[in-house]
Amino acid sequence: MVMSTTEKALTPETEASFYGLYHRESPFVLRYLFARVGDKTTAEDLCSDTFCRAWDRWSRFGGDDSAARSWVMRIARNRLIDHLRHNRRVTFEELDERYAATGGPETATGRIDLRRALAGLSTDERDLLAMRMAGMSHAEIGTIQGRSEEAVKKSWQRALIKARSLLEADA
Amino acid sequence: MNDDIDNNEELLQLEEQLRAATFAGLDTTASGRVFDRVRDHVQAFPKGRGRLGHDWNRRLLAVAPFVVPAAAAAAIAVAVISNQPQKAILPVPSGSPAATPVNSPSPAPTVEPSPPTDVAAAQRVALGLFVADPSLPGHWYPCSNVDNWAACPLSARVKARLADLTSSGYFSDVGGCGADYISGTQNGLFNAPKVLSAVAGGDGSVTVVIQRGPSRPGLIAAMTKENGTWVASDLASGTGPAASIFSAKPNC
């Protein structure tokens, strides 16, 4: 756990460290949120919400840079859950519509149908893959989800195998 | 099924395809409005917002009898880590009236117009901390390695600090850092360094944050004018009390 029991003295340096956190972690947070909601404007709104919430708690954060990533991603994830509860819509499908309009990405194994590959996954599996797409390691995801690295790897493996099966079934 | 998850090339390849499909054609860098909104929030709630949403402490407004624009907030930060005198961190925005801090609403503050800060110039000079490698397109290296930073846009104090750290072996593997300070790596950068933000401070300085790649924290340069020339009077990396290069054991 990375929250300290006492608040740090709030100095301008506190702000400096927070802006450092923002510049270092916002690309990861944004990629994760975009992978989940499929719309950059919404992802950016959620991203700014995340860092506003992080600032509200920053004086009580007592971890190092590594812990900070897990901490802010946890805030992002909670903010995303709130958003999805309100909107009742998980929009990987929107991604697929967008790519369908542009012809979609071609890969060595053929076009990836995101809708079929991802819509058939559970919310937890989508969440895990979104964090991986954002660039997070299995260990970092484990810290966020409160699971071991090995457990995350196994879930990741199952999710990808499931996605592959869905793609193959569609082929 | 390959049980070696880390080396399961097939799954890693599929994951990479999903990643490419998800982000294809999109700039996944947060736009300026994200940072603007966060900065405005920091400015509006200097001590964070409580559970009930109220502001606990209008610290900055208590110090200075004028409204502090959001744009000054980032500049406060590096000014402090650079060990500048306390008065230097008062967030007086460029182009706004300077004021003598008082705790009562009267007498009226003394108003002295200050010249506008050339943020674009400071930003341009800060990017000069990195030099394109003429022999390898798409590769940048710090402006330092061969001449003890003589040609770099750095203050004499920063150059001396870099020299001290170098001579003590701080940037070697033995010293614990194992990387060039400016680039954060011994291998140079394979993406063009990019300015993430450039914010003018009230003392004429400009705080510039330069992206050094996905795995490194941004390099923060506090740009000030010395004899009419922009130089970095402080550099910082990462967060916390060791962010500044002038801290006892600065972040790499």
Side-chain angles (χ1 to χ4, degrees):
Chain A
M1 193 59 189
V2 292
M3 298 294 284
S4 63
T5 53
T6 57
E7 289 187 20
K8 288 180 280 195
L10 263 171
T11 64
E13 187 178 285
T14 311
E15 294 179 9
S17 63
F18 179 75
Y19 286 120
L21 172 84
Y22 174 85
H23 288 302
R24 193 175 64 251
E25 303 301 340
S26 62
F28 290 93
V29 172
L30 185 66
R31 282 198 292 268
Y32 163 67
L33 292 168
F34 178 80
R36 290 302 312 276
V37 301
D39 173 72
K40 190 172 183 188
T41 300
T42 305
E44 287 191 336
D45 288 345
L46 294 172
C47 185
S48 58
D49 283 353
T50 296
F51 281 95
C52 289
R53 290 185 182 196
W55 169 248
D56 293 340
R57 297 159 176 78
W58 186 236
S59 66
R60 288 171 285 161
F61 176 76
D64 58 14
D65 285 356
S66 170
R69 170 171 299 175
S70 300
W71 178 70
V72 78
M73 286 295 285
R74 199 177 298 123
I75 295 173
R77 190 165 175 248
N78 290 337
R79 179 67 191 89
L80 174 73
I81 290 169
D82 289 345
H83 169 79
L84 295 177
R85 279 179 183 155
H86 280 97
N87 291 275
R88 298 286 179 196
R89 187 177 183 192
V90 181
T91 55
F92 265 118
E93 290 81 357
E94 290 180 356
L95 275 175
D96 192 62
E97 287 166 9
R98 181 161 52 81
Y99 291 124
T102 59
E106 298 296 327
T107 70
T109 57
R111 176 161 175 223
I112 291 178
D113 186 332
L114 283 176
R115 177 164 46 197
R116 290 191 184 280
L118 301 174
L121 301 178
S122 70
T123 301
D124 286 346
E125 288 167 336
R126 292 180 191 185
D127 200 53
L128 194 161
L129 291 186
M131 286 190 205
R132 286 284 299 169
M133 287 179 199
M136 302 194 71
S137 68
H138 294 113
E140 288 171 333
I141 296 170
T143 302
I144 293 167
Q145 297 183 339
R147 305 163 68 199
S148 71
E149 181 180 356
E150 282 307 307
V152 171
K153 281 182 181 178
K154 287 176 181 170
S155 296
W156 169 79
Q157 187 180 32
R158 279 196 295 271
L160 283 174
I161 290 172
K162 190 171 169 183
R164 184 178 58 189
S165 300
L166 291 164
L167 285 168
E168 288 171 351
D170 183 52
Chain B
M1 187 63 218
N2 185 348
D3 290 334
D4 185 353
I5 295 174
D6 289 325
N7 294 314
N8 192 323
E9 288 299 328
E10 191 183 356
L11 289 183
L12 288 171
Q13 188 180 24
L14 175 59
E15 181 180 62
E16 187 52 42
Q17 290 170 347
L18 289 170
R19 181 180 291 117
T22 301
F23 300 127
L26 289 168
D27 177 8
T28 55
T29 304
S31 67
R33 76 181 182 90
V34 178
F35 180 72
D36 289 347
R37 189 172 164 213
V38 173
R39 187 187 55 197
D40 289 348
H41 181 84
V42 171
Q43 170 65 32
F45 304 101
K47 200 182 175 184
R49 191 166 43 184
R51 288 179 181 174
L52 301 178
H54 61 272
D55 185 6
W56 290 338
N57 179 13
R58 292 273 180 176
R59 174 170 50 85
L60 297 179
L61 299 182
V63 171
F66 50 83
V67 175
V68 182
I76 303 168
V78 172
V80 167
I81 60 176
S82 64
N83 300 326
Q84 292 181 16
Q86 184 68 16
K87 66 182 177 62
I89 67 169
L90 284 175
V92 184
S94 63
S96 71
T100 304
V102 290
N103 291 324
S104 62
S106 63
T110 305
V111 177
E112 295 176 7
S114 56
T117 303
D118 189 348
V119 175
Q123 180 175 315
R124 196 164 51 246
V125 172
L127 277 175
L129 290 167
F130 298 90
V131 180
D133 185 346
S135 63
L136 183 60
H139 185 239
W140 280 259
Y141 56 88
C143 62
S144 59
N145 295 338
V146 296
D147 58 2
N148 287 326
W149 306 279
C152 295
L154 297 167
S155 70
R157 185 165 171 255
V158 171
K159 288 178 181 176
R161 179 60 175 155
L162 282 166
D164 284 347
L165 291 168
T166 303
S167 63
S168 67
Y170 190 69
F171 299 136
S172 68
D173 290 334
V174 176
C177 195
D180 179 275
Y181 181 81
I182 291 175
S183 64
T185 171
Q186 298 289 16
N187 302 318
L189 303 179
F190 290 90
N191 290 298
K194 187 170 73 174
V195 171
L196 294 171
S197 67
V199 180
D203 57 354
S205 68
V206 176
T207 301
V208 182
V209 181
I210 302 172
Q211 187 178 44
R212 294 185 288 187
S215 60
R216 298 291 310 155
L219 178 70
I220 305 170
M223 304 300 293
T224 55
K225 268 194 168 178
E226 288 187 1
N227 300 319
T229 304
W230 285 106
V231 292
S233 57
D234 192 11
L235 298 174
S237 175
T239 58
S244 170
I245 194 172
F246 292 110
S247 60
K249 192 176 178 183
N251 293 336
C252 298

